[in-house]
Structure formats: structure tokens, C-alpha cells
């Protein structure tokens, strides 16, 4: 059987689901397997196609282009967040703190981290407000 190519949109969805298989909650793992199967079936694919995509050496595509979205390495984003937090001297509002925590979570899971134009602007504004060079 020849493995079929997984379209970029499905790859992105699968990339978000597969890490959830590591959950310590059995029901979440089971739900994740079902969600992966739905993504595969919606593209006319199966587990064999997913396995073949994983096993092919050097086939990791470059990060997809999303218009004006920006990409930051996980290390660069983590460093920027830490500098913003230090520079803020505890004066960030809850919304900004939650945003930074969310971005830090992305940096732990993804490398590089894709930032929408709105996210990139928010980080830049926080860096400017706290006197941190972005």
C-alpha cells in the first residue's frame, strides 16, 4: 500500500492532537485517538498514512506561511517573556499575565512558535511598555 500525503491543514491539526496522547487521563487519551481518526478520515487517510509520514526521514516541512504571522524560536519567546515580566515590576494586569503564561506554554510545546499579528503586536507593546527591547 502506498502512503498518501497528509495535507498541511491536517498536519497542523494532527500536530496539536498527538501530544495529547501523553495525558495522564485515560478518557482524554481515548478522546484524542477518536479525534485523530476523525481528522484522518476527513482527508481519506488512515493510521498507516500517519505512520508512514512519521517514518519518512527528512520530510518535516518548513513552517507554513500564514500571511503576516511571525515565528519566534521557543528560546527567544521564553527570553522575551521573562524580560517583560522582570521589567514590569509586577505591574502587569491579569489579562496580560494570562497572555504571557499562554505564550510561555506555547514555547514549551512548539518550536518555532507561530504568533498571529495580534499576538506579535501585544508582545511588542508589552515589551515597549516595560522598557524591554523586543
Amino acid at each position: 500500500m502506498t502512503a498518501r500525503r497528509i495535507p498541511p491543514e491536517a498536519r497542523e491539526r494532527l500536530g496539536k492532537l498527538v501530544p495529547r496522547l501523553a495525558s495522564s487521563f485515560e478518557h482524554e487519551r481515548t478522546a484524542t485517538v477518536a479525534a485523530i481518526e476523525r481528522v484522518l478520515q476527513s482527508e481519506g487517510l488512515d493510521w498507516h498514512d500517519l505512520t508512514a509520514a512519521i517514518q519518512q526521514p527528512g520530510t518535516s516541512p518548513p513552517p507554513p506561511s500564514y500571511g503576516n504571522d511571525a515565528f519566534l524560536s521557543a528560546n527567544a519567546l521564553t527570553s522575551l517573556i521573562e524580560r517583560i515580566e522582570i521589567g514590569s515590576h509586577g505591574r502587569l494586569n491579569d489579562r496580560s499575565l494570562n497572555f504571557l503564561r499562554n505564550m510561555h506554554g506555547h514555547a514549551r510545546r512548539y518550536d518555532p512558535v507561530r504568533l498571529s499579528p495580534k499576538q506579535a503586536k501585544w508582545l511588542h507593546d508589552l515589551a515597549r511598555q516595560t522598557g524591554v527591547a523586543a
Side-chain angles (χ1 to χ4, degrees), residues 23-129:
S23 172
S24 58
F25 299 102
E26 181 180 347
H27 295 296
E28 184 174 357
R29 290 191 308 268
T30 302
T32 300
V33 168
I36 290 170
E37 287 180 338
R38 285 191 300 272
V39 170
L40 292 171
Q41 288 173 356
S42 74
E43 298 293 336
L45 303 168
D46 59 28
W47 286 95
H48 298 284
D49 299 309
L50 179 59
T51 302
I54 293 169
Q55 291 176 336
Q56 292 175 351
T59 59
S60 178
S65 173
Y66 294 95
N68 294 328
D69 287 4
F71 290 89
L72 274 179
S73 74
N75 288 338
L77 180 57
T78 299
S79 174
L80 177 59
I81 291 168
E82 289 171 354
R83 289 181 288 137
I84 289 171
E85 289 174 339
I86 291 168
S88 73
H89 304 289
R91 292 175 292 175
L92 293 175
N93 62 33
D94 288 342
R95 187 168 176 252
S96 293
L97 286 171
N98 287 334
F99 169 69
L100 291 176
R101 283 187 203 114
N102 187 355
M103 289 292 99
H104 194 255
H106 287 299
R108 285 191 302 268
R109 288 187 298 275
Y110 307 108
D111 192 16
V113 178
R114 177 174 56 102
L115 302 171
S116 70
K118 186 176 178 180
Q119 290 169 326
K121 181 182 181 319
W122 197 350
L123 273 175
H124 177 77
D125 290 347
L126 288 172
R128 183 181 45 76
Q129 291 168 9

